[in-house]
Every structure is written in C-alpha cells, then in structure tokens.
Amino acid sequence: MSENKQIEHQGIVEQSDGERATVRILSQSACASCHAKGVCTAADLQEKLIDASCDRPFKHGDRVTLVGESRLGLQAAWWAYILPLFLILATLITTFTLTNNENLAGLLALGIMVPYFLILRLFNHKFFKTFSFTIKPSTE
C-alpha cells in the first residue's frame, strides 16, 4: 500500500559522458521562497552539483529533471544523523557507567565517530549505488 513517491529537482547539465551526468541544481530551504527573505538571515539558497545516471546523452546546458526516491532521504538521514547519535549516546553512557570519568566518556563518545565515518568512507561506492538520481528531460 505504500506509494513510491519521488523527489524531483529541475537542473541544468554541466557535463555528460552518456551514462553519467553532472547537473547543477538550485537548492533552497522552505523559507527561501518566503516574502520576508530579504530581511531574514535564515533564508538558505545555494547551488549544488549532483552526479546522476542517464539513459541517453545530454549536452552542456540542457534543462533536465533529477528524479530520486523519497524513501532514500530517510535512509540517508539514518546513516548521517540518527545512527551516529545513537553511537555517541551509547558510548557516552557505557563509558561513564564503567569508568565514572566524564572526560574519558566525552572523548570516547566523540572519538567513536572517527572509525564510524572511516567505515562509511570505505563503503562509499555502495552508497553511490543506493543513493542515486536519474535524469529525464525537463518538461518546462
């Protein structure tokens, strides 16, 4: 019963080799389109380059639509934010319970992130396959 919702972003092709393309998108927070963004410092608007797979060649300057699955956003949040938070808390609580030393517990809790992110870096190629966008010609 779950729908396969998709995320779509309009962009412009920067370069393409037939199978992969780099697309420039304009990423903005929800408040970037607010009428008060001129006086608010919270408005966030920035350009990003996204690598995506394509089934046909595109040339520089083509307007395209990047398509990704919305469920991948939750999965990315898990790996980038939620699991590291659990690791930090578990390390902090376990170390403090065993040693009763706050300094050691704090250092180890932060230090656990070094091997965690090194392991993520080691499996980087798997994440590129999982978290990928596809390109389709823009309808605008």
Side-chain angles (χ1 to χ4, degrees):
M1 294 261 268
S2 75
E3 294 179 32
N4 189 13
K5 296 181 182 177
Q6 294 184 332
I7 301 168
E8 293 188 356
H9 286 284
Q10 300 299 317
I12 298 173
V13 174
E14 289 294 312
Q15 64 183 22
S16 175
D17 66 5
E19 292 182 7
R20 309 244 355 126
T22 303
V23 179
R24 181 178 304 275
I25 64 168
L26 190 60
S27 175
Q28 63 184 22
S29 65
C31 61
S33 60
C34 174
H35 69 282
K37 73 178 179 182
V39 294
C40 178
T41 59
D44 183 23
L45 185 67
Q46 57 182 248
E47 286 186 344
K48 294 182 180 177
L49 293 176
I50 307 292
D51 287 327
S53 59
C54 51
D55 56 358
R56 68 180 187 92
F58 290 95
K59 56 185 191 292
H60 178 74
D62 284 350
R63 295 181 89 46
V64 294
T65 302
L66 286 175
V67 180
E69 295 181 40
S70 63
R71 69 172 178 80
L72 294 179
L74 292 174
Q75 194 174 356
W78 166 257
W79 288 105
Y81 301 113
I82 300 167
L83 185 57
L85 176 66
F86 286 148
L87 285 173
I88 288 172
L89 290 175
T91 304
L92 183 68
I93 292 167
T94 303
T95 306
F96 184 71
T97 302
L98 294 175
T99 65
N100 206 24
N101 184 336
E102 291 178 1
N103 292 332
L104 180 63
L107 284 173
L108 287 178
L110 292 176
I112 196 72
M113 290 295 93
V114 172
Y116 175 74
F117 285 112
L118 286 175
I119 290 170
L120 284 185
R121 181 76 173 162
L122 184 66
F123 292 104
N124 204 12
H125 62 283
K126 285 193 173 220
F127 286 109
F128 275 124
K129 288 179 185 174
T130 303
F131 300 107
S132 64
F133 283 95
T134 55
I135 300 174
K136 65 180 184 181
S138 182
T139 56
E140 290 185 358

